[in-house]
C-alpha cells in the first residue's frame, strides 16, 4: 500500500463527515424518512404482494423517486407498481425481456454513454463479461484482499489502536470501501475523496445545474487522466484491465472499449464500490454489537461471520428498492403491468417475506442458509458483491482480533438505522474499543 493511501485512511479529512453521514445524505437528496419503514412495509404486504402505485405511494410516505426524470413525462406521471413479496420480486428480476434497466439511463442522447447498470442484453452481457472475471469470488478473497483490502483495514486498525473510543461509521466503514475501489482504479490518497465528492455532485445537487456540470467535468477529467496514464504504463488495476478488454456485441463484432465507455464503467464502480459497502458494513456491525451474544458467538466461531454478512443483507439491505421500466405488457403475481409503467421492486420487503423465512424481522446468525436478494438477482446481480463481502469479512475479523471487548458506547447516542426508503445505513456507531 502506498504512503498516500496509508495517510488518507488515517486522516481526519472533513470530507469523510461531508460524504458519509447517512442522515445528511438523505437530507441532501430530499428523501429522508423519520420512521422505521418495516412496519409500513409489513402492513402494505398484507394488502397484496403486487400493488398499483410507486413504493412511497403504497407506504404512504412523501413522494420521491430516484428516476423522477424518467417517470415524469409531458403526458404526466407514468403508472407505477410495487412488488413486495420474494416470489414476485424474483420473477420481476428475471423478466429481462419485458422489464428493462433502461430506467437507469444517464444520458438518453448517446447510447455509448450507457453503463452496465443501464444496459439490457445483449449489450449488458458483453460489457459485463469484460470486467466479470475481476470480481469473481476467488479474486475477491485472493487478489483484492492481498493487494488492497488487508493493508487498508490493517492501517485503520492500527490507527484505532491508539484510541479508547471510536465512531466506526466514519473511522472504519466510510474508509475501507472508498479506498479499496479507488486504489483498484488507480486513484491514490486524497484523490479518492475528491473524486467521490465530484461523483456524488454529478448525480444532481441542490446547488444548481452549474455545480452539477462542474462536478461532471471533474469526474471526466480525473478519469481521463487515469486512462491516459494507464495507456502509456499499464498496471495491476481496473483501468488497465478495461483498456485491454474486448467486447463482442452482435452486429458490431469484437472491439475494445472506448475511453467514454471506460469512464462510465469507472464512474459506476466508484459510485457503488465507495457507497453501498460503507452502509452495509455499518448495518452489519450494528447488528452484531446490538446483541452481545451475537458478537461473542461470531468472535468465538469465525465460520459464522460470512453467514452474518449474508444475514445483514437479508435483514436490512442498504439499497432497499430497485426499479425497472416495462418495455412490453407483462404480468407479475397476477397483476397486469402495462408497457411504459415503472415497477419498484422492494428488496427490503422481499427479504422479510414470512412465506420464505421464519421470524423474518429478526437478525439471526444461525438462520438456515437460503438465497436472498440483497444484492439483486439475475443478470444484473451486483457485480462487486464478492468484493463487498470480502471488505466486511476482513474488517470485522480485524476488529474482533484487535478489540475483542469492543462494545457500543453507553455514554453516546444509541445507534439506529436511518436514511431514505431508497438507501439505508447507520446513524453513527460510537464504540468503546477496550
Amino acid at each position: 500500500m502506498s504512503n498516500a493511501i496509508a495517510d488518507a485512511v488515517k486522516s481526519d479529512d472533513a470530507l469523510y463527515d461531508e460524504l458519509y453521514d447517512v442522515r445528511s445524505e438523505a437530507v441532501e437528496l430530499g428523501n429522508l424518512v423519520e420512521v422505521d419503514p418495516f412496519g409500513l412495509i409489513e402492513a402494505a404486504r398484507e394488502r397484496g404482494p403486487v400493488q398499483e402505485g410507486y413504493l412511497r405511494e403504497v407506504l404512504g410516505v412523501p413522494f420521491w423517486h430516484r428516476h423522477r426524470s424518467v417517470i415524469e413525462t409531458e403526458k404526466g406521471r407514468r403508472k407505477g407498481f410495487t412488488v413486495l413479496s420474494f416470489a414476485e420480486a424474483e420473477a420481476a428480476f428475471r423478466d429481462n425481456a419485458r422489464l428493462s434497466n433502461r430506467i437507469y439511463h444517464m444520458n438518453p442522447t448517446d447510447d455509448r454513454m450507457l453503463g452496465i447498470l443501464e444496459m439490457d442484453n445483449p449489450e449488458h452481457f458483453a460489457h459485463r463479461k469484460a470486467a466479470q472475471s475481476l470480481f469473481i469470488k476467488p479474486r475477491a478473497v485472493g487478489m483484492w484482499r492481498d493487494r488492497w483490502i488487508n493493508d487498508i483495514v490493517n492501517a485503520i486498525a492500527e490507527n484505532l489502536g491508539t484510541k479508547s473510543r471510536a465512531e466506526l461509521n466514519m473511522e472504519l466503514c466510510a474508509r475501507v470501501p472508498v479506498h479499496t475501489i479507488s486504489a483498484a482504479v488507480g486513484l491514490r490518497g486524497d484523490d479518492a475523496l475528491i473524486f467521490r465528492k465530484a461523483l456524488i455532485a454529478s448525480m444532481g445537487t441542490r446547488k444548481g445545474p452549474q455545480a452539477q456540470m462542474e462536478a461532471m467535468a471533474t469526474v471526466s477529467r480525473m478519469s481521463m487522466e487515469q486512462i491516459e496514464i494507464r495507456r502509456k504504463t499499464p498496471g495491476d488495476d481496473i483501468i488497465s484491465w478495461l483498456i485491454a478488454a474486448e467486447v463482442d456485441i452482435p452486429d458490431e463484432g469484437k472491439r475494445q472499449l472506448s475511453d467514454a465507455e471506460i469512464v462510465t464503467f469507472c464512474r459506476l464502480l466508484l459510485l457503488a464500490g465507495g457507497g453501498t459497502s460503507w452502509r452495509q458494513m455499518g448495518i452489519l456491525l450494528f447488528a452484531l454489537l446490538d446483541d452481545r451474544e451475537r458478537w461473542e458467538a461470531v468472535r468465538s466461531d469465525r465460520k459464522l461471520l460470512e453467514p452474518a454478512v449474508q444475514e445483514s443483507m437479508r435483514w436490512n439491505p442498504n439499497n432497499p428498492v430497485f426499479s425497472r421500466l416495462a418495455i412490453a405488457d407483462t404480468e407479475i403475481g397476477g397483476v397486469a403491468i402495462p408497457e411504459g409503467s415503472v415497477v419498484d421492486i422492494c428488496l427490503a420487503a422481499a427479504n422479510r417475506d414470512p412465506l420464505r423465512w421464519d421470524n423474518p424481522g429478526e437478525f439471526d446468525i444461525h438462520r438456515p442458509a437460503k438465497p436472498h436478494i440483497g444484492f439483486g438477482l439475475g443478470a444484473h446481480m451486483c457485480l462487486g458483491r464478492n468484493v463487498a463481502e470480502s471488505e466486511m469479512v476482513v474488517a470485522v475479523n480485524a476488529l474482533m482480533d484487535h478489540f475483542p471487548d469492543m462494545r457500543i458506547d453507553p455514554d453516546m447516542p444509541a445507534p439506529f438505522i436511518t436514511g431514505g426508503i431508497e438507501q439505508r445505513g447507520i446513524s453513527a456507531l460510537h464504540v468503546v474499543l477496550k
Side-chain angles (χ1 to χ4, degrees), residues 297-337:
V298 175
R299 190 176 70 83
S300 300
D301 181 3
R302 301 300 172 87
K303 292 179 182 177
L304 291 172
L305 181 48
E306 289 197 15
V309 170
Q310 298 303 322
E311 176 69 349
S312 79
M313 290 297 305
R314 183 205 66 82
W315 177 67
N316 246 303
N318 69 88
N319 275 344
V321 56
F322 291 161
S323 300
R324 297 290 187 267
L325 177 66
I327 55 175
D329 290 345
T330 188
E331 181 182 290
I332 307 174
V335 175
I337 311 293

Side-chain angles (χ1 to χ4, degrees), residues 319-364:
N319 275 344
V321 56
F322 291 161
S323 300
R324 297 290 187 267
L325 177 66
I327 55 175
D329 290 345
T330 188
E331 181 182 290
I332 307 174
V335 175
I337 311 293
E339 180 181 352
S341 302
V342 171
V343 178
D344 285 345
I345 308 171
C346 186
L347 283 63
N351 278 345
R352 292 198 185 190
D353 188 339
L355 296 179
R356 185 170 177 80
W357 288 280
D358 295 330
N359 302 314
E362 293 184 11
F363 182 91
D364 182 359

Side-chain angles (χ1 to χ4, degrees), residues 55-265:
L55 176 60
R56 281 180 170 252
E57 293 173 328
V58 168
L59 299 185
V61 297
F63 190 78
W64 186 93
H65 204 283
R66 182 177 287 117
H67 308 293
R68 194 154 196 165
S69 62
V70 175
I71 70 174
E72 302 288 0
T73 73
E74 293 179 354
K75 297 179 180 179
R77 183 178 295 172
R78 295 175 185 269
K79 271 193 173 184
F81 294 84
T82 295
V83 179
L84 298 164
S85 69
F86 186 88
E88 279 69 29
E90 182 178 30
F93 272 125
R94 295 193 185 283
D95 189 2
N96 299 308
R98 290 177 288 267
L99 296 177
S100 171
N101 261 48
R102 287 283 176 130
I103 192 169
Y104 290 87
H105 206 322
M106 295 177 183
N107 185 353
T109 64
D110 184 1
D111 277 357
R112 285 297 179 91
M113 290 301 290
L114 288 175
I116 60 170
L117 188 64
E118 302 95 10
M119 291 176 179
D120 295 322
N121 287 332
E123 291 82 7
H124 172 264
F125 176 79
H127 282 79
R128 186 181 177 105
K129 186 178 178 182
Q132 181 81 51
S133 60
L134 273 172
F135 297 91
I136 59 175
K137 189 157 189 175
R139 278 204 162 124
V141 300
M143 181 188 80
W144 283 81
R145 291 190 189 186
D146 293 341
R147 291 185 185 174
W148 302 299
I149 300 172
N150 290 341
D151 286 346
I152 289 169
V153 169
N154 287 337
I156 293 171
E158 178 184 312
N159 190 47
L160 292 175
T162 66
K163 308 176 181 183
S164 60
R165 284 176 159 80
E167 198 285 281
L168 293 183
N169 179 55
M170 291 296 174
E171 296 183 57
L172 174 78
C173 303
R175 297 169 190 243
V176 175
V178 71
H179 288 291
T180 296
I181 190 62
S182 297
V185 167
L187 294 170
R188 295 291 185 266
D190 294 340
D191 283 349
L193 295 182
I194 294 169
F195 189 93
R196 179 157 184 81
K197 181 179 180 180
L199 187 57
I200 292 172
S202 73
M203 302 291 292
T205 172
R206 292 186 176 186
K207 295 178 182 178
Q210 181 62 34
Q212 183 178 4
M213 292 297 292
E214 290 173 0
M216 291 172 68
T218 298
V219 169
S220 181
R221 174 183 58 77
M222 293 183 72
S223 299
M224 285 303 304
E225 287 173 355
Q226 293 301 316
I227 292 171
E228 289 170 8
I229 291 170
R230 295 306 180 274
R231 286 199 183 279
K232 294 175 182 176
T233 311
D236 292 328
D237 55 75
I238 291 174
I239 289 181
S240 296
W241 183 281
L242 292 174
I243 288 171
E246 290 184 330
V247 290
D248 188 359
I249 302 173
D251 300 327
E252 286 190 28
K254 287 186 178 182
R255 64 172 177 82
Q256 291 185 307
L257 294 168
S258 68
D259 285 353
E261 288 171 319
I262 294 173
V263 169
T264 302
F265 225 125

